[in-house]
Amino acid sequence: PHWGAKTEQKILRGLAFLAGAGSRRLLGVVLPLAREIEGRLRAIAGVEQVAVAGSVRRRKETIGDLDFLVTARDPGRVARTFASMPDVSNVYARGTKKTLVRLADGMDADLRVVPAESFGAALLYFTGSKAHNVALRRIAQLEGLKLIEYGLFRGTRRLAGRSEQDVYQALGLPYVPPELREDSGEIEAARAGRLPRLIEYGALRGDLQIQTEWTDGAASIEAMALAAKAIGLEYIAITDHTRDLAMAHGSDEARLLEQAGTIRKLNRTLRGFRVFSGAEVNIREDGSLDVADEALAQLDVVGAAIHTKFRQSRTQMTRRVLRAMENPHVDILFHPTARLIGRREPVALDVDAVIAVAKRTGTV
């Protein structure tokens, strides 16, 4: 009763989205567990090499299961230790080469113990992606070679396999980082010497989207600044939410300017570090902002973002976002598609149009 066709369609879309997300977990949730298990395996007597493979190693957004590769003098001991970990709720199979278990959180974990001379080829194979591996096998076939998880062979003679670098080199390619192995142009780029450099840990200089206890954050501005400095950053921008986000205790113009004054005082006490005053303003349904321009003009950094009305048409949403970017005080468009991985679909947005306007207006 009282449910219309729109409500029914919204519920059906939500159910379909959840079904598509399945049992996959966020990388940030899974990675600490993967590293913990990796450490346990490395601590077993006789273990020589350990690697986390699969989608974790490719740093995919979501992870379906865990894959571990090991070389060891006593494969049986490794298998027994893996199967008896406190996280294990069920053992599907256990052997000296392969052990498959279900973890208490519902995720499957797969252990492979391989010979040292095959470790690189096996790591390449079990890291994936499937499409990247197929492309490499095709290259091998054109050279009269055979690439399998045990190595790269010409007939029965193993040409490479001890390391991934050896396999790529034998195929006439430079090493391709795991994050790029999706058969999306990386092999052609490798051949042409145009593989992109990944942004690695240690490369980041600052953070321009930070909330504090002034709204829905949990720490003070000073605590955030000191923590950022401690991990090697040079600056942060405080971008607390604004007026329209009542559930986040969003700041109005007066509170934003009060906060900016607090930041100026803090900067006088910091050495070798800078805190910028800012805000994460809400882009309203019509593309206007929920903070007056006069206040925005007094902040160092202004970010704008969509927080409500996610179901607008592509034309409406694009017009809405472009209008916000046209505001001369907006420096950054935060989380442009408003997607929450595995929880909320992206909004309908003409990203090419957004990028074109970003270039013209200098919006990040």
Side-chain angles (χ1 to χ4, degrees):
H2 313 300
W3 279 10
K6 280 189 176 181
T7 301
E8 287 187 9
Q9 289 304 312
K10 186 175 182 180
I11 292 170
L12 289 170
R13 276 198 307 268
L15 290 170
F17 179 69
L18 285 174
S23 59
R24 297 183 69 84
R25 315 288 173 81
L26 286 173
L27 173 66
V29 174
V30 173
L31 190 57
L33 174 61
R35 286 175 169 161
E36 184 179 336
I37 294 174
E38 180 187 14
R40 292 176 192 165
L41 293 171
R42 203 176 294 280
I44 300 170
V47 165
E48 295 154 348
Q49 297 178 91
V50 181
V52 182
S55 52
V56 169
R57 187 161 182 252
R58 299 202 320 279
R59 297 297 191 258
K60 300 299 291 180
E61 293 171 337
T62 59
I63 309 300
D65 53 24
L66 296 175
D67 298 276
F68 299 92
L69 254 64
V70 171
T71 61
R73 292 192 296 272
D74 186 351
R77 173 184 285 182
V78 178
R80 288 192 299 274
T81 303
F82 184 75
S84 61
M85 292 187 303
D87 317 85
V88 172
S89 63
N90 186 43
V91 179
Y92 297 121
R94 185 171 71 191
T96 56
K97 293 183 179 179
K98 177 180 177 180
T99 301
L100 180 60
V101 302
R102 168 62 63 96
L103 301 177
D105 67 355
M107 180 169 282
D108 288 343
D110 189 355
L111 170 72
R112 307 264 179 167
V113 183
V114 300
E117 60 269 21
S118 299
F119 183 77
L123 184 56
L124 184 61
Y125 180 85
F126 288 109
T127 294
S129 67
K130 181 179 179 180
H132 181 82
N133 288 348
V134 167
L136 292 182
R137 287 201 295 272
R138 196 176 300 124
I139 293 172
Q141 288 167 358
L142 291 174
E143 298 295 326
L145 307 175
K146 184 178 181 181
L147 177 60
I148 57 176
E149 61 190 274
Y150 299 105
L152 179 66
F153 292 86
R154 186 182 298 280
T156 58
R157 178 169 163 253
R158 182 187 284 109
L159 303 181
R162 191 170 288 272
S163 74
E164 288 184 315
Q165 288 84 348
D166 291 345
V167 175
Y168 279 110
Q169 185 176 0
L171 292 173
L173 297 170
Y175 176 78
V176 177
E179 294 90 340
L180 299 179
R181 299 178 193 172
E182 301 294 340
D183 193 28
S184 58
E186 72 277 8
I187 291 176
E188 293 78 6
R191 279 179 166 155
R194 292 186 290 101
L195 278 175
R197 282 183 58 196
L198 300 181
I199 300 173
E200 299 183 351
Y201 287 98
L204 298 182
R205 295 180 57 195
D207 191 324
L208 295 176
Q209 189 180 22
I210 285 179
Q211 277 90 44
T212 71
E213 63 184 4
W214 281 64
T215 57
D216 55 335
S220 68
I221 298 171
E222 183 177 13
M224 295 298 285
L226 295 176
K229 185 179 181 182
I231 61 173
L233 299 187
E234 299 171 17
Y235 59 86
I236 59 172
I238 303 302
T239 56
D240 277 305
H241 289 114
T242 48
R243 162 195 340 261
D244 281 358
L245 271 70
M247 75 292 288
H249 312 292
S251 296
D252 59 13
E253 288 84 352
R255 191 156 169 78
L256 281 175
L257 297 181
E258 180 189 352
Q259 185 183 67
T262 300
I263 290 170
R264 285 193 295 272
K265 290 178 184 176
L266 176 62
N267 278 324
R268 289 196 285 269
T269 70
L270 296 173
R271 295 291 177 268
F273 192 85
R274 174 75 184 273
V275 181
F276 293 98
S277 62
E280 179 174 340
V281 301
N282 185 46
I283 301 175
R284 289 174 167 164
E285 190 172 1
D286 63 355
S288 62
L289 306 177
D290 67 338
V291 174
D293 285 353
E294 294 76 15
L296 297 181
Q298 298 183 58
L299 302 177
D300 296 319
V301 179
V302 175
I306 298 161
H307 298 98
T308 57
K309 304 290 183 182
F310 300 117
R311 291 292 178 187
Q312 286 182 310
S313 70
R314 191 168 188 260
T315 300
Q316 291 172 317
M317 186 65 73
T318 302
R319 189 185 303 123
R320 172 184 180 183
V321 170
L322 297 188
R323 181 185 174 190
M325 293 168 66
E326 295 282 0
N327 185 301
H329 303 297
V330 171
D331 302 299
I332 307 171
L333 177 62
F334 286 150
H335 47 79
T337 71
R339 178 182 61 143
L340 292 176
I341 300 171
R343 291 170 53 197
R344 186 169 69 208
E345 294 177 283
V347 298
L349 187 65
D350 184 346
V351 176
D352 288 333
V354 169
I355 290 172
V357 171
K359 290 169 71 174
R360 177 168 58 78
T361 59
T363 306
V364 178

